[in-house]
Amino acid sequence: MNEFDLIARYFSFAPRDPAVVLGSGDDAAIIELAPDDLLVVASDMLVAGRHFPEPCNPAHLAARALRVNLSDLAAMAATPRWFTLAISLPEADPEWLEGFSQGLLRECAYWQLDLIGGDTTRGSLTISIQMMGTVNRDCPAIRRSGAQPGDHVMVTGSLGDAAGWIGQGQFEPSTEQDYLYRRFWFPEPRLNFARAAQPWISAACDISDGLLADLQHICKASGIGARVQADRVPLSPALCEAAGTDARALALGGGDDYELCLAVPAQHLDEIQALAQQLEIPLTSIGQFEAGDQVLCLDERGQQLKVSRGYQHFP
Ligand code: ADP
Ligand code: MG
């Protein structure tokens, strides 16, 4: 039983309140507060030693904890507004807490967010954030379920960078200027882009578990399959240098990048590319959705690649 089977079996309760427009199963839930007034809620937990190496820079940890949650709201084309912070700490170390707090405050100012509550306990270092935002009629939510056969599979940014940094196993905070370090600790939630591109996107998911795993989520929710050209998956020069021939596998299977995987109908390719250029966000078509239920990954000769399907907590 993997984590998704586990969630489906034990925690996917059918909502009883009709105000729950979208419950468990997408990047975030949607609750209708009033007609055309919708709340979007996502929650992501970071456990030391599992989601991030420890020791680490507490200010950078605060940034990552917020940004991975913002990324789920970006995948819905929502505007994030408030969050709660549940934190479990082995000890109350003022120096650590000062760093974490300052980092969090900086991010709140940058992303225009309010910390409105939470919970604090003693335990192993774990950060759990619940992010809340809004969508409305002018910019409705994007779901995982809207992809159609023929839509392009598109991804923002470059993939595999965060997994590449983890793979290097050099966790000193002194590497702050390092590109891969920044890609891991400061992922870039594509909030503005997703909201502006929403009219041209038929489905979206953020890439947290790995491209092929998250693409699978869109396929499953949309009831279709997809075909990806491995050689079209965007790689950064830094990743190629650090990981060499492993770069491609990291980009396909490694998680943690928090870029977006999108379904875009062919007739909107030019519009969405123009927008991406204007916002200076790399946007790449890496394949197409198709009828069926398989996610195929092909090399340049059309041979099917066997690659790991991303990170699973309960494989
Ligand atoms: P994401 O990576 O986008 O945050 P996850 O893979 O963590 O999504 O979760 C998949 C879906 O399952 C999400 O809709 C999430 O809200 C839901 N989910 C995860 N854990 C639980 C849980 N313990 N109870 C209810 N729903 C859950
Ligand atoms: Mg997500």
Side-chain angles (χ1 to χ4, degrees), residues 264-271:
V264 178
Q267 71 264 32
H268 296 313
L269 277 193
D270 291 347
E271 287 145 305

Side-chain angles (χ1 to χ4, degrees), residues 242-278:
T245 52
D246 292 338
R248 183 90 41 209
L250 289 170
L252 292 167
D256 286 325
D257 286 312
Y258 296 93
E259 292 293 347
L260 294 179
C261 178
L262 308 171
V264 178
Q267 71 264 32
H268 296 313
L269 277 193
D270 291 347
E271 287 145 305
I272 202 167
Q273 276 296 4
L275 175 76
Q277 247 170 37
Q278 190 191 327

Side-chain angles (χ1 to χ4, degrees), residues 46-170:
L46 276 72
V47 178
R50 179 151 298 275
H51 298 102
F52 60 92
E54 192 15 38
C56 63
N57 182 318
H60 300 178
L61 175 59
R64 179 166 168 84
L66 261 191
R67 287 165 178 239
V68 304
N69 277 277
L70 289 174
S71 166
D72 276 325
L73 263 64
M76 308 295 289
T79 300
R81 297 180 58 184
W82 321 276
F83 70 98
T84 61
L85 167 69
I87 185 164
S88 145
L89 297 163
E91 56 183 340
D93 172 358
E95 198 184 325
W96 192 95
L97 283 163
E98 194 57 41
F100 187 84
S101 167
Q102 288 302 321
L104 199 60
L105 199 59
R106 251 197 319 272
E107 292 288 315
C108 285
Y110 185 77
W111 301 104
Q112 293 290 291
L113 299 169
D114 285 321
L115 172 60
I116 57 165
D119 196 22
T120 305
T121 63
R122 187 191 288 267
S124 57
L125 179 59
T126 303
I127 320 275
S128 185
I129 284 178
Q130 183 181 54
M131 185 61 66
M132 288 159 273
T134 52
V135 288
N136 57 40
R137 192 178 324 186
D138 298 335
C139 182
I142 306 167
R143 304 184 183 198
R144 292 178 178 181
S145 55
Q148 298 284 335
D151 287 357
H152 282 244
V153 179
M154 304 196 87
V155 293
T156 58
S158 58
L159 301 184
D161 295 329
W165 180 72
I166 288 286
Q168 285 178 307
Q170 296 166 350

